[in-house]
Amino acid sequence: MARKGIMSDRLKEEIAKELGFYDVVQKEGWGGIRARDAGNMVKRAIEIAQSNLAGKDL
C-alpha cells in the first residue's frame, strides 16, 4: 500500500523550483534528486510551516 505524502505535489514542485533542482524532477522523477536536495526541501517545508503557524492566532 502506497503511503500518502504529507506535502502536496504543488508545494514540493514549488520548493524544488525555489531550490533549483526542479529540472531533475522533471527528467528523472522524485527518485532522481540527491539526498542533500531532499533534506533541503524538507528543511524549507518546515520553515514555511513554522512561518504559517507564527502568523496565525493560536
Side-chain angles (χ1 to χ4, degrees):
M1 185 157 108
R3 227 176 75 186
K4 185 177 183 323
I6 295 172
M7 283 194 279
S8 70
D9 287 339
R10 183 171 160 254
L11 178 60
K12 288 193 293 190
E13 290 172 5
E14 188 177 307
I15 294 172
K17 288 174 186 175
E18 180 181 322
L19 298 177
F21 59 86
Y22 186 64
D23 58 328
V24 175
V25 173
Q26 288 182 308
K27 291 178 192 168
E28 302 176 32
W30 290 106
I33 66 173
R34 298 178 308 168
R36 179 182 301 245
D37 290 333
N40 287 337
M41 192 168 82
V42 170
K43 188 187 306 185
R44 181 65 183 123
I46 291 169
E47 290 170 354
I48 291 169
Q50 288 175 333
S51 174
N52 287 341
L53 282 176
K56 294 182 179 175
D57 295 314
L58 299 177

